[in-house]
Amino acid sequence: MTLQGDEDKSAADRKSAAAAAADAAGPQSGETVRIDSWIWAVRLIKTRSLGAAACKGGHVRVNGERVKPAYAVRVGDEVRLRHEGRERIVVVKRLIRKRVGAPVAVQCYVDNSPPPPPREAVAPAGIRDRGAGRPTKRDRRDLERLRALEKGGRPGAR
């Protein structure tokens, strides 16, 4: 029985340590956090420079408006991020400046994103049968036409 009690204590210790890490990563009183830094810190994007590029490209919206990378995010803001073919919708619960572990990062926002599409729904384009050899020019053009249709472009557009 003491083993179960020890496991509960260690889980509680881990949670308190995670909360302490998030508090340490948070801004000091009066400081703000940039949106590109925040989406990087909560692990929505791999690098801060990718976060800045997403903001510049118009892929990040805060409360429905496009924002620049230096926009100061606040608790309660709704952040919409289009990244890797899917849209993430999160509500800011806690501000942090430094990147923290995934369990702590998840506590900093509420995820309202739609679930990702199932893997079966995303059909791989261009898979050839084994032993079919190198694609011909005609095969290549057919594949390009398929990829253009998947992206929403015109079939004959270059």
Side-chain angles (χ1 to χ4, degrees), residues 66-121:
R66 290 174 60 176
V67 293
K68 294 182 178 179
Y71 180 85
V73 70
R74 296 181 188 93
V75 174
D77 284 347
E78 180 189 64
V79 178
R80 290 178 174 260
L81 169 70
R82 278 185 304 156
H83 183 60
E84 295 178 349
R86 108 177 241 230
E87 185 174 33
R88 301 286 307 264
I89 303 167
V90 297
V91 177
V92 180
K93 271 179 35 178
R94 178 186 282 170
L95 298 177
I96 58 173
R97 277 182 295 125
K98 297 179 182 175
R99 194 168 172 103
V100 292
V104 179
V106 171
Q107 296 174 359
C108 296
Y109 61 87
V110 177
D111 196 356
N112 296 331
S113 306
R119 289 193 176 251
E120 298 85 40

Side-chain angles (χ1 to χ4, degrees), residues 25-96:
Q28 303 301 323
S29 62
E31 285 186 39
T32 59
V33 178
R34 293 169 52 114
I35 185 67
D36 62 341
S37 178
W38 186 82
I39 61 177
W40 165 75
V42 296
R43 298 176 171 266
L44 294 177
I45 278 192
K46 282 187 179 183
T47 65
R48 183 171 170 190
S49 60
L50 280 177
C55 291
K56 289 177 186 172
H59 300 289
V60 178
R61 293 180 178 266
V62 177
N63 299 327
E65 296 190 23
R66 290 174 60 176
V67 293
K68 294 182 178 179
Y71 180 85
V73 70
R74 296 181 188 93
V75 174
D77 284 347
E78 180 189 64
V79 178
R80 290 178 174 260
L81 169 70
R82 278 185 304 156
H83 183 60
E84 295 178 349
R86 108 177 241 230
E87 185 174 33
R88 301 286 307 264
I89 303 167
V90 297
V91 177
V92 180
K93 271 179 35 178
R94 178 186 282 170
L95 298 177
I96 58 173

